[in-house]
Amino acid sequence: MNIKRGIARRKLLLSLVAVTLLPACQDSVVEQTSTPSYQSVNAEPLTLSEGYQFVQQFSGTIRAGNTTGIGFELAGKIKTLAVDSGDKVKQGQLLAKLDTRLLMAEKNELDASLAQNKADLDLARATLDRSLELQKQGYVSEQQLDELKGQLNSLQAAKNRLTASQLANQLKIDKSDLLAPFTGVISKRSHNLGEVINVGSPVYTLIEHNNVQAYIGVPVEIATQLKTGQVVPVTVRQQNYQASIAGIGAELDPVTRTVELRLTLPTDAKVINGELSYLNYDKVIDSRGYWVPLSALTDGIRGLWNIYIVKPSDEQLFSIERRDVEIVYAAKDKAFIKGAISPDEQYVSQGLHKLVAGQLVTRQAKLATR
């Protein structure tokens, strides 16, 4: 009987302890869940702009002012090649020679013919002079004198013909030397030593290195706003140059629908013939809007975009509002937008994937700048 009473007392004591500890545990749970956590966001003010700079880039190629395939004006066999591709040459410098042995043989033949003609002329003049003296004495008829004068005139005409042939022969000999028409760089050699070439077949391609130009096509509406002599920025291999507009085309390219600009680069421009060149054309567009980073925009509906605006909810918390905006112009990592937003409103600049409309957030404290 005493044992049963002891067990009952222990059960009663344990029940009293449990009832006493239960409120304390409940208070602890309430204290742990009573302070919720909020997402912290980086908010920036919207600054109204009256317009934006619209940058367009048009491509073209680098071409030297003179790029010429030079060859002989005569057919013949190449005897000498004085330069090769990559060599710098000066105006008038010897580049190549043709074999002139046949021309020299022709020259010798003409020299001999002229010498024979001179002897015949001397004899004809002497004979005519004697005949004129005899004619005074009545020993020579008028017909004989006419025949002698005709023979002298024929020999004189033959001399003129031989002299012209001699000059033509000398000109061919001179043109057997290929000279540089201007100072530049040999970009290509097309024939080898000993080859027999035709008239006009280019032996070298010569590029004038001090007259580099860029040929770039632009739309008609831009071409009409440019003027000859105007300085514009041109980029070649990420190197920027100030180029002068040397000429504006007078017709539209039927394929690209552009007008070709001829731009003169500085003489010290380190470019290569055939390289790509880019014209950077800047234009200011009058349109009210706001510049924001691309990280502040998210996809919307019906072709629009969304930006998250933070509105004060109480002294420490802010509420997220989603606004529809339109991207007017995008450049690299930022965009010019307009829509249901106002100047100086605060927008979330990044981390939009963690937020939803109506969510309560806190603002990140900005570090003070020294």
Side-chain angles (χ1 to χ4, degrees):
M1 191 68 176
N2 292 332
I3 295 175
K4 291 181 179 180
R5 289 178 179 176
I7 293 174
R9 287 179 180 177
R10 288 180 182 178
K11 288 182 178 181
L12 179 59
L13 181 59
L14 291 174
S15 298
L16 292 175
V17 171
V19 171
T20 303
L21 293 177
L22 182 58
C25 293
Q26 290 177 344
D27 293 340
S28 177
V29 173
V30 171
E31 289 177 359
Q32 292 178 359
T33 58
S34 61
T35 306
S37 61
Y38 296 98
Q39 179 72 35
S40 179
V41 299
N42 183 22
E44 300 289 343
L46 288 169
T47 303
L48 181 65
S49 298
E50 297 298 330
Y52 63 95
Q53 192 174 40
F54 181 58
V55 182
Q56 287 180 288
Q57 192 174 71
F58 306 99
S59 63
T61 56
I62 295 295
R63 279 185 273 170
N66 285 315
T67 302
T68 308
I70 53 176
F72 293 99
E73 298 180 39
L74 308 171
K77 182 179 180 180
I78 298 177
K79 178 183 178 182
T80 303
L81 291 173
V83 295
D84 209 333
S85 58
D87 291 342
K88 295 181 179 180
V89 298
K90 296 182 178 181
Q91 184 177 6
Q93 180 178 337
L94 178 67
L95 305 181
K97 290 176 65 70
L98 289 178
D99 188 345
T100 59
R101 287 178 295 178
L102 290 177
L103 292 174
M104 294 303 297
E106 181 182 349
K107 181 179 183 299
N108 293 335
E109 184 179 352
L110 289 170
D111 290 343
S113 297
L114 277 171
Q116 179 66 47
N117 177 265
K118 182 178 182 302
D120 293 341
L121 274 173
D122 292 342
L123 178 60
R125 289 193 184 99
T127 301
L128 180 60
D129 291 341
R130 286 193 299 268
S131 297
L132 288 173
E133 292 296 328
L134 292 173
Q135 194 263 345
K136 295 178 182 179
Q137 302 175 13
Y139 293 110
V140 178
S141 64
E142 290 292 335
Q143 182 178 355
Q144 289 175 322
L145 286 177
D146 290 342
E147 290 177 353
L148 289 173
K149 290 178 181 179
Q151 183 181 8
L152 182 63
N153 291 335
S154 178
L155 288 172
Q156 185 61 48
K159 178 185 177 181
N160 294 337
R161 183 173 62 253
L162 288 171
T163 301
S165 297
Q166 189 180 47
L167 291 174
N169 173 263
Q170 185 59 49
L171 184 60
K172 289 180 181 179
I173 293 175
D174 293 340
K175 287 185 177 295
S176 295
D177 291 345
L178 184 61
L179 305 179
F182 51 82
T183 300
V185 178
I186 302 294
S187 67
K188 182 181 179 182
R189 176 169 63 85
S190 303
H191 292 284
N192 297 317
L193 192 66
E195 281 191 56
V196 177
I197 61 173
N198 296 322
V199 176
S201 179
V203 180
Y204 298 104
T205 300
L206 180 61
I207 297 175
E208 188 177 17
H209 59 71
N210 61 348
N211 187 20
V212 180
Q213 295 181 330
Y215 290 77
I216 300 176
V218 299
V220 178
E221 57 271 16
I222 292 180
T224 55
Q225 298 175 12
L226 300 174
K227 297 180 180 179
T228 302
Q230 182 177 344
V231 177
V232 293
V234 173
T235 302
V236 181
R237 263 186 292 114
Q238 299 181 348
Q239 181 68 40
N240 297 323
Y241 299 99
Q242 292 299 312
S244 174
I245 299 179
I248 301 175
E251 62 180 358
L252 194 67
D253 189 290
V255 178
T256 62
R257 310 302 297 174
T258 59
V259 176
E260 188 174 65
L261 302 180
R262 182 165 54 89
L263 309 170
T264 301
L265 272 67
T267 55
D268 59 349
K270 304 298 182 181
V271 296
I272 299 175
N273 202 45
E275 274 193 292
L276 288 176
S277 57
Y278 300 93
L279 169 65
N280 303 309
Y281 182 76
D282 297 347
K283 182 179 180 181
V284 176
I285 306 298
D286 294 330
S287 177
R288 295 167 64 91
Y290 308 85
W291 282 108
V292 297
L294 291 177
S295 59
L297 300 174
T298 184
D299 294 338
I301 58 175
R302 295 186 296 275
L304 296 176
W305 293 78
N306 291 150
I307 189 171
Y308 286 172
I309 302 295
V310 293
K311 286 290 186 177
S313 177
D314 56 30
E315 294 182 356
Q316 296 182 345
L317 297 179
F318 297 84
S319 176
I320 296 294
E321 292 185 7
R322 183 171 56 196
R323 305 281 183 84
D324 290 334
V325 294
E326 175 188 357
I327 295 180
V328 179
Y329 176 69
K332 295 184 179 179
D333 58 348
K334 60 181 181 179
F336 190 80
I337 63 172
K338 63 180 180 179
I341 47 181
S342 302
D344 297 326
E345 283 190 310
Q346 303 287 322
Y347 70 94
V348 181
S349 60
Q350 58 186 353
L352 273 61
H353 62 284
K354 302 177 182 178
L355 305 174
V356 294
Q359 180 178 347
L360 294 177
V361 296
T362 60
R363 289 187 56 184
Q364 292 181 0
K366 292 185 178 181
L367 297 177
T369 57
R370 295 182 180 179

